[in-house]
Amino acid sequence: MIRTPSGEDSLIARYFKPLATDPGAFGLVDDAAIIPASGDDLVVNTDAIVEGVHYLPDDPPGTIARKALRVNLSDLAAKGAVPAGFLLTLVLRQKDEAWLAAFAAGLGEDAAAFGCPLLGGDTVSTPGPVMVSVTAWGRVPRGRMVHRFGARPGDRVMVTGTIGDAALGLRILTGKAETAALDADPAARDMLIGRYRVPQPRCGLAAAVRDYATAAMDVSDGLAGDLTKLCAASSVSADIALSRVPTSSAAARLLAAGSVELETLISGGDDYEILCTVPAAQCEAFRAAAETAQVALTDLGTIVEGAHPPRFLDGQGRPAALTRLSYSHF
Amino acid sequence: MIRTPSGEDSLIARYFKPLATDPGAFGLVDDAAIIPASGDDLVVNTDAIVEGVHYLPDDPPGTIARKALRVNLSDLAAKGAVPAGFLLTLVLRQKDEAWLAAFAAGLGEDAAAFGCPLLGGDTVSTPGPVMVSVTAWGRVPRGRMVHRFGARPGDRVMVTGTIGDAALGLRILTGKAETAALDADPAARDMLIGRYRVPQPRCGLAAAVRDYATAAMDVSDGLAGDLTKLCAASSVSADIALSRVPTSSAAARLLAAGSVELETLISGGDDYEILCTVPAAQCEAFRAAAETAQVALTDLGTIVEGAHPPRFLDGQGRPAALTRLSYSHF
């Protein structure tokens, strides 16, 4: 299925065939792949990353590959699905063997680590920026995909990991001044950069999300904007305590120094954490499952009735006025 | 699943939600789509088309959309699969509502005509050329996908439709001199341009390909090169009669006038016909099925033993020396 105008044949055989370990991939010599019949529903998702938009031109090729796959695995995890395979579309400016070798190595390591084999794809040339598009699918028991809709008043709003690190990592990479307070701390800088370049999809939490969440999505375009979407899809609103938004110690230092605003963190993109709503009675069991999966979990607030956007409340219980909810492409 | 940074929300709701008629698409408000469990194998394929590479910047948006979907439907048909749904990744320079409206209209008509609903996708921005990537899947009874491998000595080599029209259509659009003989015949020119812009996937022949073909693929990068790939995958060779290559009357006129060589037609891309091999004993039944499906079918020659590339034989039975087998991106 990787379409191979003759110039690409050797490229694909050399770099991508070793990743096509699933029998349904037919070693990438056929025009299509097979997903065998099974009793599970398939959850399918596609996300593309573009050079200069979702990653920087001089990011290491291995991290670009990992990010392209992981942003899709993050969606699957939030839907309660176990990864099953992916297709890769590579839009390249030229045949750069060193870049491709590093790209394929990173991709192969992640495909193996997440149990998500390459099944096929397409490689085309462009005079413009490089683009990597992945379509991934996962399995859920029939009828068990977790939706954006489904949140009910009284549900707790939970989020995994920490928020805003990736937005800060991007600011470091692009030389923005507000991260100067970390100039003397290379480990903190590297951590934030790493969070931008290589998201950590919460695949280990997929089964628990399926078992306990009434609604879920991954946070990719900013916590504030994504929660707004979840609430709109569920026809509810939410009250969130700004002070509860989980931050890394590096982010907390920048907040404490006044270098960045919390608003920047909750409207920044690229977190790839799971945002979900869980009935109060299930929270303990959900917490226990997260602990077993070694995924940090924070209770941000509560789902309430109403059609208004979620309120982000400050220490005095006053709604903060957010000027920017999320990243937008247009 | 169409990921919607807030600026894209209205765009997607307006233009693409009406196309998402399948219940598994959840009206495009969720982060992923569902393909429900069934007893069929799923055949998946992905092909991207890039502005300036696979279509021209001033091609009508509706034909760009149709081509993006149809090149994938063509692959599915050659694998014996019935279309079931697709994901769309749109990489756009800017939000051009008139372009999008026409694009979505063409896409919606084809999705309905081919019974292949939109299930989700991703929309991202780029400073470079526009790109449209489609991942489509279809259903085949368990274990019944037709492969590139499987051709056996003695099988007949069959191809649908006519070869080389799209390559000539592109030459007309790019103002190449060799089509001057058609300058006075706008209908012939329009036919060739139409063959370049809007391929005709042979979906009606999918069941017959499944029932009778030992190997099959769609011709997308040139008949000569694609047959070479099919033979290599099957560990066989072929003897093809050049005089049998089916051409349209417009192409035949250009050949007769000496304006183009047959080599140009059999190495040009974008035919999107089905190339397959059929045991001699099954040819009559396959022909009858093609007639019922109203798809023209031509017997090009025979599969032979050997590891050498297929031979294209002239009127005297001498192998023609082809300098260029197919289109290559790199």
Side-chain angles (χ1 to χ4, degrees):
Chain A
M1 119 116 48
I2 284 201
R3 282 274 305 291
T4 56
S6 44
E8 286 106 275
D9 278 350
S10 65
L11 174 164
I12 288 162
R14 190 173 312 158
Y15 299 116
F16 295 108
K17 193 175 166 177
L19 279 60
T21 53
D22 189 278
F26 306 110
L28 303 185
V29 299
D30 217 313
D31 310 275
I34 278 285
I35 309 173
S38 88
D40 289 330
D41 285 347
L42 290 176
V43 176
V44 290
N45 180 70
T46 188
D47 271 319
I49 64 171
V50 178
E51 178 186 40
V53 180
H54 303 85
Y55 69 89
L56 301 173
D58 56 355
D59 278 347
T63 71
I64 297 167
R66 288 178 199 273
K67 185 166 188 175
L69 179 58
R70 289 173 178 223
V71 299
N72 284 278
L73 297 178
S74 174
D75 273 305
L76 293 181
K79 303 287 100 181
V82 175
F86 72 103
L87 302 176
L88 171 71
T89 295
L90 259 184
V91 184
L92 298 174
R93 258 191 309 273
Q94 71 269 317
K95 188 170 161 178
D96 175 341
E97 301 250 347
W99 191 94
L100 273 169
F103 181 92
L107 191 65
E109 282 175 27
D110 266 11
F114 290 100
C116 192
L118 176 67
L119 268 95
D122 190 22
T123 310
V124 293
S125 56
T126 176
V130 171
M131 201 203 70
V132 187
S133 172
V134 167
T135 298
W137 55 93
R139 299 187 183 280
V140 288
R142 199 181 288 234
R144 295 288 307 282
M145 181 177 121
V146 182
H147 296 276
R148 275 194 193 183
F149 54 85
R152 292 171 302 206
D155 286 352
R156 303 305 303 174
V157 179
M158 316 281 267
V159 73
T160 60
T162 53
I163 294 296
D165 296 330
L168 293 172
L170 175 60
R171 279 174 164 70
I172 293 173
L173 286 170
T174 51
K176 298 278 168 63
E178 56 265 52
T179 57
L182 296 178
D183 280 355
D185 188 347
R189 290 168 52 95
D190 287 352
M191 185 280 289
L192 295 174
I193 291 170
R195 292 272 291 160
Y196 172 72
R197 286 181 171 161
V198 184
Q200 299 297 329
R202 303 304 182 183
C203 299
L205 206 60
V209 168
R210 212 164 59 219
D211 287 343
Y212 302 113
T214 50
M217 65 186 293
D218 76 332
V219 182
S220 55
D221 296 321
L223 175 66
D226 286 341
L227 178 61
T228 303
K229 290 173 194 169
L230 187 150
C231 285
S234 298
S235 304
V236 295
S237 188
D239 282 345
I240 300 301
L242 272 174
S243 63
R244 292 195 187 170
V245 172
T247 53
S248 65
S249 62
R253 278 163 59 197
L254 292 175
L255 285 170
S259 309
V260 294
E261 306 274 330
L262 189 54
E263 181 176 340
T264 301
L265 304 189
I266 65 172
S267 65
D270 284 308
D271 291 307
Y272 299 103
E273 297 292 351
I274 293 179
L275 174 70
C276 61
T277 58
V278 177
Q282 311 280 343
C283 280
E284 201 175 327
F286 187 54
R287 280 196 178 283
E291 207 160 304
T292 304
Q294 296 184 292
V295 176
L297 196 62
T298 301
D299 181 332
L300 294 174
T302 187
I303 294 292
V304 298
E305 289 185 18
H308 55 280
R311 286 176 295 221
F312 291 83
L313 307 171
D314 66 16
Q316 283 72 47
R318 293 174 306 213
L322 300 180
T323 55
R324 180 175 179 273
L325 287 173
S326 64
Y327 180 80
S328 176
H329 283 289
F330 296 100
Chain B
M1 117 118 46
I2 286 202
R3 283 273 306 292
T4 55
S6 44
E8 286 107 277
D9 278 351
S10 65
L11 176 163
I12 287 161
R14 189 173 314 158
Y15 298 117
F16 295 108
K17 194 176 166 177
L19 281 59
T21 54
D22 190 277
F26 305 111
L28 304 184
V29 298
D30 216 315
D31 310 274
I34 279 284
I35 309 175
S38 88
D40 290 330
D41 286 345
L42 292 175
V43 176
V44 288
N45 180 72
T46 188
D47 270 320
I49 65 172
V50 178
E51 179 187 39
V53 180
H54 303 85
Y55 69 89
L56 300 173
D58 56 356
D59 279 347
T63 71
I64 297 166
R66 288 178 201 272
K67 185 166 188 173
L69 179 57
R70 289 174 179 221
V71 300
N72 284 279
L73 297 179
S74 175
D75 273 304
L76 292 181
K79 303 288 100 181
V82 175
F86 72 102
L87 301 176
L88 171 71
T89 295
L90 259 184
V91 185
L92 298 174
R93 258 190 309 273
Q94 69 270 317
K95 188 170 161 179
D96 175 342
E97 301 250 348
W99 191 95
L100 273 169
F103 181 92
L107 192 65
E109 284 176 26
D110 267 11
F114 290 101
C116 192
L118 176 68
L119 271 97
D122 190 21
T123 309
V124 293
S125 57
T126 175
V130 171
M131 201 202 68
V132 188
S133 172
V134 166
T135 298
W137 53 92
R139 298 186 184 281
V140 288
R142 199 181 287 235
R144 296 288 307 283
M145 181 178 120
V146 182
H147 295 278
R148 274 193 194 183
F149 54 85
R152 293 170 302 207
D155 286 352
R156 303 305 304 174
V157 179
M158 316 282 266
V159 73
T160 60
T162 53
I163 294 297
D165 295 330
L168 293 172
L170 176 58
R171 280 175 164 69
I172 293 172
L173 286 169
T174 51
K176 297 279 167 63
E178 57 265 50
T179 57
L182 296 178
D183 280 355
D185 188 349
R189 291 168 52 94
D190 287 352
M191 184 280 289
L192 296 174
I193 290 170
R195 292 272 290 160
Y196 173 72
R197 286 181 171 161
V198 185
Q200 299 297 329
R202 303 304 182 182
C203 299
L205 207 60
V209 168
R210 212 165 60 218
D211 287 343
Y212 302 112
T214 51
M217 65 187 293
D218 76 332
V219 182
S220 54
D221 295 321
L223 175 66
D226 286 342
L227 178 62
T228 302
K229 290 172 194 169
L230 186 150
C231 286
S234 299
S235 303
V236 295
S237 188
D239 282 345
I240 300 301
L242 272 174
S243 63
R244 291 194 188 171
V245 172
T247 53
S248 65
S249 61
R253 279 162 59 196
L254 293 175
L255 285 171
S259 309
V260 295
E261 307 273 330
L262 189 54
E263 182 176 337
T264 301
L265 304 189
I266 66 172
S267 65
D270 284 310
D271 290 308
Y272 299 103
E273 297 292 349
I274 294 179
L275 174 70
C276 62
T277 58
V278 177
Q282 311 280 345
C283 280
E284 201 174 327
F286 187 54
R287 279 195 179 284
E291 208 160 302
T292 304
Q294 296 184 290
V295 175
L297 197 63
T298 301
D299 182 331
L300 293 174
T302 186
I303 294 293
V304 299
E305 288 185 16
H308 54 280
R311 285 176 296 222
F312 290 83
L313 307 172
D314 66 16
Q316 283 72 47
R318 292 174 306 215
L322 301 181
T323 54
R324 178 175 180 275
L325 287 174
S326 64
Y327 180 80
S328 176
H329 283 289
F330 296 101

